[in-house]
């Protein structure tokens, strides 16, 4: 099965600039192979104790990263809470320092469009920039308000 992942990724690389593979929390050999061939490994976690524990294990297994394989740690839904919530300061004590923090703003999204959610759009733009290496084109705010 691990060879199938490598074959699939090889074929996709000839046709696309970016390939996104969503790996489950408990991954086996095929998923591990997809992480081994990835140029950028985006590790997405929330601020729960379970997620922090899994992220520490994954980062230990992946190592620090190098020129061929870069690890990018992202905290999603920051401020949501959940079961056994942890703050960013508590996460830093176990050597988890996110490069990007995407805020949790459910009520504000219901009230108005994305144009007024600067923290969210800036976080997503920063993530896109980290992955692609290209700065996003700035769209005037009045075009987003339509």
């Amino acid at each position: 099965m691990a060879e199938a992942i490598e074959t699939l990724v090889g074929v996709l690389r000839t046709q696309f600039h970016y390939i996104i593979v969503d790996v489950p929390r408990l991954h086996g050999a095929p998923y591990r192979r997809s992480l081994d061939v990835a140029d950028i490994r985006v590790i997405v976690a929330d601020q729960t104790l379970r997620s922090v524990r899994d992220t520490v294990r994954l980062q230990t297994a992946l190592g620090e990263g190098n020129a061929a394989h870069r690890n990018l740690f992202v905290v999603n839904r920051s401020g949501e809470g959940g079961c056994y919530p942890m703050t960013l300061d508590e996460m830093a004590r176990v050597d988890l320092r996110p490069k990007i923090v995407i805020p949790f703003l459910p009520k504000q999204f219901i009230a108005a469009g994305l144009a007024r959610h600067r923290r969210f759009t800036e976080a997503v733009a920063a993530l896109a920039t980290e992955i692609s290496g290209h700065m996003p084109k700035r769209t005037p705010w009045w075009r987003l308000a339509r």
Side-chain angles (χ1 to χ4, degrees):
M1 181 94 168
E3 297 85 25
I5 294 287
E6 193 157 350
T7 302
L8 177 63
V9 169
V11 169
L12 291 173
R13 280 186 172 176
T14 63
Q15 298 176 12
F16 301 100
H17 293 289
Y18 304 100
I19 304 165
I20 298 172
V21 179
D22 187 9
V23 179
R25 186 175 64 86
L26 300 172
H27 55 277
Y31 300 115
R32 175 61 192 207
R33 186 65 191 141
S34 66
L35 293 171
D36 289 341
V37 299
D39 296 331
I40 301 173
R41 300 177 288 210
V42 180
I43 302 167
V44 181
D46 58 25
Q47 290 179 270
T48 61
L49 180 61
R50 178 181 181 179
S51 183
V52 168
R53 185 178 55 233
D54 292 340
T55 303
V56 168
R57 284 187 196 135
L58 182 59
Q59 282 192 333
T60 301
L62 293 176
E64 292 294 317
N66 53 35
H69 307 286
R70 189 169 60 115
N71 297 330
L72 176 62
F73 178 49
V74 177
V75 169
N76 190 23
R77 301 172 68 109
S78 177
E80 178 183 22
C83 189
Y84 305 110
M86 295 187 73
T87 65
L88 293 174
D89 290 334
E90 290 171 330
M91 291 172 80
R93 285 190 215 134
V94 291
D95 290 329
L96 290 180
R97 291 173 185 82
K99 179 84 175 181
I100 298 166
V101 178
I102 301 173
F104 182 62
L105 306 167
K107 292 180 183 176
Q108 293 171 353
F109 277 100
I110 293 170
L114 272 177
R116 293 178 176 70
H117 301 293
R118 186 177 193 136
R119 286 178 35 217
F120 180 82
T121 53
E122 285 178 353
V124 172
L127 178 59
T129 300
E130 281 291 326
I131 293 171
S132 70
H134 300 290
M135 292 295 293
K137 293 179 182 177
R138 300 288 297 177
T139 303
W141 64 268
W142 58 87
R143 287 195 182 165
L144 295 173
R146 292 181 191 177

